[in-house]
């Protein structure tokens, strides 16, 4: 059984992080695209040729009884209202990151989805980055022992890239921090205390271009997530320290680089990491011998998120991103702006 899907928005996000993966999945049929802006002919033509309808009337999507699922790929400030309209139209919805601006809005949409009997989920595709999958694999295999510290980075050298004022949703913490924190929430659950340093280190009154955030857990685990736009030397994407050893991984997931180069999912070698960037584990085994070895990077696949959505909708499997995780992610974002940085936020136990 295939699902008929519609997109709200047809920009870079839709064409880079979603549609290339759906194009090779027969379980999904792109039925309609709503966009307010004119669409480039070269982008639209392959979909027009297969019968996709492009429209500038949102009601064409909302009122179509054949559409099962809607993906929202629009600016963050529009997510809440658009998602609410989709849910009220009794359609399941995937919302690009960040899901919404506040915990209040996240809880409202998730509750409304339950009331209407439809799936509501944020698009946390970075759970399927190869570099993250390598860290997840190493942690779950257990040879590092008890995990004590994890550090996760996204670094650039792009002076002047972030220099304009705006809302918190337009800054780097909402834009990139959501990825880094969601993956740690998926691994370790809800932290107890969070320490924030969020700022723009070039232009004082601009939205943030830098963050350094520590998530503290009960069992002595600390997770650091960090991003900046003035990092000129390469830093590991992940550093993991455990009681039996450490794991360090350089190099970003290769899916985006391949997509930019015109290499599509399903092509030979798509998303493969270079061996020079394989992570290195240094640990002692049960005999007390020190082992140092490269760990081959798993191949990432953002389309796996849609495979999970299909299983949830068709086979009633649990959601890939639980409601608790969705709400925790937004709480971690929103709490970073409750006080001027630097600040500390205490999380209470999760309440559904």
């Amino acid at each position: 059984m295939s699902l008929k899907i519609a997109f709200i928005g047809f920009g870079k996000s839709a064409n880079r992080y979603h549609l290339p993966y759906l194009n090779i999945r027969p379980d999904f049929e792109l039925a309609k695209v709503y966009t307010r802006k004119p669409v480039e002919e070269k982008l639209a033509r392959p979909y027009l040729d297969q019968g996709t309808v492009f429209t500038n009337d949102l009601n064409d999507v909302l009122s179509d009884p054949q559409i099962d699922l809607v993906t929202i790929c629009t600016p963050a400030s529009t997510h809440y209202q658009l998602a609410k309209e989709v849910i009220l139209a009794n359609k399941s919805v995937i919302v690009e990151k960040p899901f919404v601006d506040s915990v209040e809005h996240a809880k409202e949409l998730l509750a409304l989805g339950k009331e209407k009997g439809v799936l509501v989920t944020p698009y946390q595709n970075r759970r399927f980055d190869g570099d993250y999958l390598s860290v997840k694999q190493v942690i779950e295999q257990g040879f590092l022992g008890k995990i004590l510290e994890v550090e996760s980075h996204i670094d650039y050298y792009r002076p002047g890239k972030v220099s304009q004022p705006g809302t918190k949703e337009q800054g780097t913490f909402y834009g990139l921090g959501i990825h880094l924190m969601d993956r740690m929430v998926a691994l370790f659950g809800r932290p107890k205390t969070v320490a924030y340093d969020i700022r723009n280190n070039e232009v004082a009154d601009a939205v943030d271009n830098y963050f350094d955030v520590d998530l503290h857990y009960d069992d002595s685990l600390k997770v650091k997530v960090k991003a900046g736009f003035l990092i000129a030397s390469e830093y590991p994407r992940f550093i993991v320290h455990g009681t039996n050893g450490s794991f360090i991984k350089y190099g970003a997931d290769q899916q985006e680089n391949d997509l930019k180069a015109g290499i599509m999912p399903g092509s030979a070698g798509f998303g493969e990491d270079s061996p020079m960037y394989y992570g290195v584990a240094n640990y002692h085994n049960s005999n007390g011998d020190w082992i140092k070895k490269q760990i081959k990077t798993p191949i990432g696949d953002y389309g796996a998120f849609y495979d999970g959505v299909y299983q949830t909708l068709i086979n009633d499997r649990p959601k890939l991103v639980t409601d608790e995780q969705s709400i925790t992610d937004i709480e971690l974002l929103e709490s970073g702006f409750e006080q001027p940085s630097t600040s500390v936020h205490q999380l209470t136990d999760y309440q559904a």
Side-chain angles (χ1 to χ4, degrees):
M1 175 182 176
S2 67
L3 294 172
K4 289 187 181 293
I5 186 169
F7 269 69
I8 296 177
F10 196 68
K12 182 179 78 171
S13 174
N15 281 284
R16 182 175 295 172
Y17 303 114
H18 294 261
L19 291 172
Y21 298 90
L22 289 173
N23 289 342
I24 61 170
R25 283 173 161 77
D27 290 335
F28 293 89
E29 177 188 340
L30 182 60
K32 286 186 177 177
V33 173
Y34 164 74
T35 177
R36 293 184 301 174
K37 297 180 180 179
V39 176
E40 290 184 47
E41 173 70 16
K42 66 178 181 180
L43 292 177
R45 178 48 54 192
Y47 302 105
L48 289 168
D49 289 345
Q50 66 186 27
T52 302
V53 174
F54 284 74
T55 178
N56 58 9
D57 184 350
L58 181 58
N59 193 55
D60 287 343
V61 170
L62 300 180
S63 64
D64 188 338
Q66 292 191 317
I67 292 175
D68 306 294
L69 174 66
V70 177
T71 294
I72 296 174
C73 292
T74 55
S77 61
T78 67
H79 288 178
Y80 164 71
Q81 187 58 44
L82 285 171
K84 188 172 183 178
E85 291 184 55
V86 171
I87 298 166
L88 289 172
N90 297 302
K91 300 185 187 304
S92 294
V93 63
I94 298 170
V95 186
E96 250 292 358
K97 60 83 186 175
F99 179 31
V100 286
D101 59 332
S102 69
V103 170
E104 178 185 0
H105 284 162
K107 288 183 174 180
E108 179 187 347
L109 293 183
L110 292 168
L112 186 60
K114 289 179 180 178
E115 178 187 326
K116 294 292 186 179
V118 297
L119 172 68
V120 180
T121 184
Y123 184 58
Q124 297 297 166
N125 63 311
R126 296 290 184 172
R127 293 189 184 191
F128 299 98
D129 272 339
D131 53 344
Y132 170 70
L133 292 174
S134 67
V135 168
K136 184 173 184 285
Q137 172 185 303
V138 165
I139 289 174
E140 290 177 346
Q141 287 176 342
F143 55 77
L144 297 184
K146 180 181 179 181
I147 303 303
L148 303 174
E149 187 174 0
V150 178
E151 189 167 340
S152 177
H153 280 241
I154 297 179
D155 296 323
Y156 302 101
Y157 185 71
R158 298 176 180 176
K161 175 72 173 179
V162 183
S163 59
Q164 300 298 316
T167 66
K168 65 183 187 297
E169 296 81 23
Q170 295 172 303
T172 300
F173 187 50
Y174 262 73
L176 296 179
I178 181 60
H179 289 313
L180 299 183
M181 291 190 301
D182 171 73
R183 298 189 299 194
M184 296 301 103
V185 168
L187 272 179
F188 302 115
R190 185 174 171 85
K192 294 297 182 181
T193 305
V194 187
Y196 296 96
D197 179 4
I198 305 170
R199 51 195 160 93
N200 191 302
N201 53 19
E202 289 187 278
V203 182
D205 61 350
V207 297
D208 54 282
N209 71 345
Y210 170 94
F211 62 83
D212 184 342
V213 175
D214 291 337
L215 313 177
H216 296 268
Y217 291 80
D218 271 346
D219 58 355
S220 75
L221 170 65
K222 184 182 88 168
V223 173
K224 178 183 289 292
V225 295
K226 189 171 181 178
F229 282 79
L230 289 172
I231 314 299
S233 295
E234 186 179 24
Y235 199 85
R237 296 283 283 196
F238 284 97
I239 300 172
V240 183
H241 298 304
T243 53
N244 289 343
S246 300
F247 177 72
I248 295 177
K249 170 75 174 78
Y250 282 86
D253 175 86
Q254 290 302 300
Q255 293 177 83
E256 186 167 7
N257 288 336
D258 284 351
L259 290 166
K260 288 177 180 177
I263 304 170
M264 292 292 109
S267 302
F270 176 82
E272 288 185 2
D273 202 7
S274 168
M276 68 181 289
Y277 286 118
Y278 289 174
V280 175
N282 188 30
Y283 64 99
H284 64 85
N285 63 19
S286 57
N287 295 324
D289 302 319
W290 280 98
I291 308 296
K292 188 172 186 177
K293 66 178 181 180
Q294 281 190 311
I295 307 294
K296 184 177 180 180
T297 308
I299 297 176
D301 179 9
Y302 297 155
F305 186 91
Y306 277 97
D307 294 338
V309 167
Y310 184 88
Q311 290 299 322
T312 299
L313 291 176
I314 300 301
N315 296 320
D316 202 28
R317 299 281 176 82
K319 294 164 70 170
L320 277 175
V321 184
T322 68
D323 289 355
E324 178 178 351
Q325 291 169 350
S326 296
I327 290 168
T328 297
D329 287 346
I330 298 304
E331 181 177 352
L332 293 174
L333 292 178
E334 186 180 23
S335 299
F337 295 91
E338 288 180 348
Q339 305 173 55
S341 273
T342 55
S343 66
V344 175
H345 177 74
Q346 304 283 340
L347 278 76
T348 59
D349 291 338
Y350 173 72
Q351 300 293 327

